[in-house]
Amino acid sequence: MNRLELRLPPVLLALASLAAMWAVARWLPAFDIGIPFRKPVSLVLVALGVSVGLAGVAEFRRDRTTVDPTRPDRASALVVTGIYRVTRNPMYVALALGLVGAAAWISNLAAMPVPALFVAWITRLQIVPEERALRAKFGAEYEEYASRVRRWL
């Protein structure tokens, strides 16, 4: 599994997850369910995801550090302001919210586990290696930040 660490860009994984949900729903229509208010719920979740993601990118840009998730060693600053006071990974929270919104829109029980699988993959193969790189680069400053702000929410 270590060979997969930091290899797959999270946006690409999110798109693959979205495609998987759509395909599963098409292949297994017997698992379609009716979710009340699915469209507005989906739109709110996706809009919230977009807002959280843009807030994360804006903070990275403000601090002039890289947004490349495959190269955390290139971080020039430890971003701890704005949305980063609530979550250490707003861009991944944003992708997960988008996938949960898409799952609600698709409304198929067989597709529902996909966002959780995305979170598990991102945690193990993206976030944990990023944290290792940030600890190596920022030391005690990162440790203190990680002790007061949750990984997800």
Side-chain angles (χ1 to χ4, degrees):
M1 281 301 247
N2 287 349
R3 290 188 350 216
L4 293 174
E5 288 184 352
L6 302 172
R7 297 279 190 238
L8 187 61
V11 171
L12 184 60
L13 179 62
L15 291 172
S17 299
L18 181 61
M21 286 192 297
W22 179 82
V24 165
R26 294 292 173 244
W27 292 333
L28 301 170
F31 289 96
D32 286 352
I33 58 172
I35 296 178
F37 308 107
R38 75 179 174 94
K39 289 182 181 178
V41 167
S42 298
L43 293 174
V44 166
L45 287 167
V46 170
L48 183 59
V50 168
S51 298
V52 168
L54 290 175
V57 170
E59 287 298 314
F60 267 39
R61 294 288 184 217
R62 188 179 68 76
D63 283 356
R64 294 188 174 103
T65 193
T66 183
V67 294
D68 181 356
T70 64
R71 296 301 310 264
D73 56 313
R74 291 186 179 167
S76 59
L78 181 61
V79 181
V80 298
T81 57
I83 191 75
Y84 289 90
R85 290 177 291 170
V86 178
T87 174
R88 296 194 316 256
N89 297 287
M91 292 177 242
Y92 304 145
V93 169
L95 294 172
L97 282 169
L99 289 173
V100 171
W105 185 280
I106 291 168
S107 298
N108 181 286
L109 284 174
M112 295 289 174
V114 173
L117 295 172
F118 170 84
V119 167
W121 178 286
I122 285 293
T123 299
R124 169 59 185 91
L125 297 171
Q126 189 67 41
I127 295 173
V128 169
E130 284 179 4
E131 290 173 344
R132 203 168 36 243
L134 294 173
R135 269 189 196 91
K137 186 153 196 154
F138 298 106
E141 182 183 6
Y142 180 77
E143 288 295 337
E144 190 278 324
Y145 171 64
S147 73
R148 66 182 160 79
V149 177
R150 295 174 63 105
R151 181 182 278 164
W152 283 93
L153 288 176

